[in-house]
Amino acid sequence: MRLLGYIALMASFSGAANALPTCPNLAWLEAEFDAPTMPRMNYNNRLNKLITWLPEFHMVHDQVVAEGNSVEVTAKFDYGAIAHKDLEYETVKFYIRSEQDTQWHFLANAQTNSDGKASVALPALQAGQYRIFAGVPADGSGTQGYVTVVQPGTQAVLFDIDGTLTESDAEQIGDYTGIDRAAQKEGAYSLVRRYLDLGYQPIYLTARVYWYAKGTRSWLRWTGLPQGFLRASSSNETSLFRTAEYKINEINQLQGQGLDIVRAYGNAKTDAEAFIRAGLGSDNSFTIGADAGHYGTTAIESNHYYHHIETHVNDFPAAKCE
């Protein structure tokens, strides 16, 4: 009942079409919200109590969806930096928060499956940004994710992370183990921030495995970059052996929801292949590092972004949004 009431409230907009798509609300993307207060419950599966003393690596699979379309949001719950033991057959709770809300709204209870996943269905929502909280009432842990509802032609810039925003692909190892934070590539913050200030939606598309979404969000926060749509791969096999195909599929899905990806940044050969095969175009696809220019992408010759910002970004037109 609460879910239906909240959705009815959010869907009751006038329906008058905006002349331009809605610009991202950067202040809201950068805001940090405390988790909702969940009523504590006993474990459904008593065996789960044996794993929940381990550090959690829960994550929400972010979604971009066209205004007027329904969407299913899936969260995955696991514990342990090494074992990554799934939380099986356990009750979890979903909450939602819009840009206009001052508090979280309860959506629904769900039960995880044998893979530690649980989902909630959202009907059509008004264009804008939404936060989803997925929590485990038995131990109080939880995680946040994003649903971005876009209008046709909403413009975005896509960024790979490792070796593109970080100094190298290997940086993620130290970051994940807690030994050291992954170093930013010089000018990476300025690059992303410049596009955000111009009104483009941020899209972070990484081949990092899903259980490192928690650390990736922490790294973005540490750098001072706003959160937003983050897509990590669903398996080690995908990350290691099917990276290009995975990124092509994700780009195509984003485009299918009405997102106009005007530029993309990567460093690996698989990034370059994905950008070109997904139809982003050579002039709009930029690669940096040892494989800069691969597959017909536009090479960023220096291993920093300062000159590129000066020559390719400072005069780039603002996003067509309001």
Side-chain angles (χ1 to χ4, degrees), residues 41-289:
M41 297 173 59
N42 293 326
Y43 288 97
N44 283 344
N45 181 353
R46 291 177 179 264
L47 293 176
N48 285 330
K49 194 171 183 178
L50 301 176
I51 66 170
T52 53
W53 62 272
L54 295 168
E56 72 271 7
F57 287 85
H58 311 329
M59 60 89 67
V60 172
H61 290 277
D62 292 350
Q63 294 285 1
V64 169
V65 60
E67 187 176 47
N69 288 356
S70 60
V71 66
E72 183 175 79
V73 179
T74 298
K76 183 171 172 68
F77 302 84
D78 83 15
Y79 295 81
I82 298 175
H84 286 288
K85 180 66 178 71
D86 297 325
L87 184 73
E88 300 180 18
Y89 308 114
E90 194 61 62
T91 297
V92 295
K93 291 180 178 290
F94 285 92
Y95 297 79
I96 191 170
R97 186 171 186 148
S98 75
E99 297 175 43
Q100 293 76 34
D101 288 330
T102 58
Q103 62 184 3
W104 293 94
H105 296 270
F106 174 70
L107 285 174
N109 289 328
Q111 187 175 76
T112 60
N113 60 18
S114 61
D115 198 29
K117 294 179 180 179
S119 300
V120 63
L122 297 179
L125 295 172
Q126 184 177 0
Q129 304 280 351
Y130 298 82
R131 301 248 186 131
I132 299 294
F133 181 88
V136 183
D139 67 6
S141 64
T143 186
Q144 295 185 34
Y146 291 77
V147 172
T148 304
V149 182
V150 299
Q151 294 150 325
T154 296
Q155 294 181 313
V157 177
L158 182 151
F159 304 94
D160 171 55
I161 293 179
D162 292 304
T164 302
L165 300 183
T166 72
E167 189 58 43
S168 72
D169 287 313
E171 295 273 351
Q172 64 177 301
I173 298 173
D175 203 32
Y176 175 69
T177 59
I179 297 173
D180 192 18
R181 285 287 193 184
Q184 295 181 60
K185 191 175 290 294
E186 289 187 71
Y189 171 86
S190 298
L191 175 75
V192 179
R193 175 58 66 178
R194 179 61 178 146
Y195 282 116
L196 296 177
D197 290 343
L198 288 170
Y200 292 96
Q201 288 279 353
I203 298 294
Y204 303 108
L205 178 59
T206 176
R208 290 181 175 190
V209 182
Y210 67 88
W211 40 256
Y212 197 49
K214 174 184 175 181
T216 305
R217 291 204 183 282
S218 176
W219 185 84
L220 289 170
R221 191 176 303 112
W222 174 73
T223 63
L225 291 172
Q227 304 289 321
F229 178 88
L230 168 67
R231 175 66 80 226
S233 79
S234 59
S235 69
N236 285 317
E237 179 186 2
T238 298
S239 296
L240 294 172
F241 305 114
R242 294 188 284 114
T243 307
E245 288 76 11
Y246 148 70
K247 290 196 172 184
I248 292 167
N249 182 60
E250 292 296 336
I251 291 170
N252 288 340
Q253 288 190 28
L254 292 168
Q255 293 169 324
Q257 294 298 328
L259 207 63
D260 178 13
I261 301 174
V262 300
R263 282 186 166 182
Y265 288 84
N267 74 299
K269 291 180 178 178
T270 49
D271 293 329
E273 180 182 351
F275 298 163
I276 299 303
R277 288 179 57 194
L280 300 185
S282 296
D283 292 341
N284 304 318
S285 303
F286 298 93
T287 47
I288 194 169

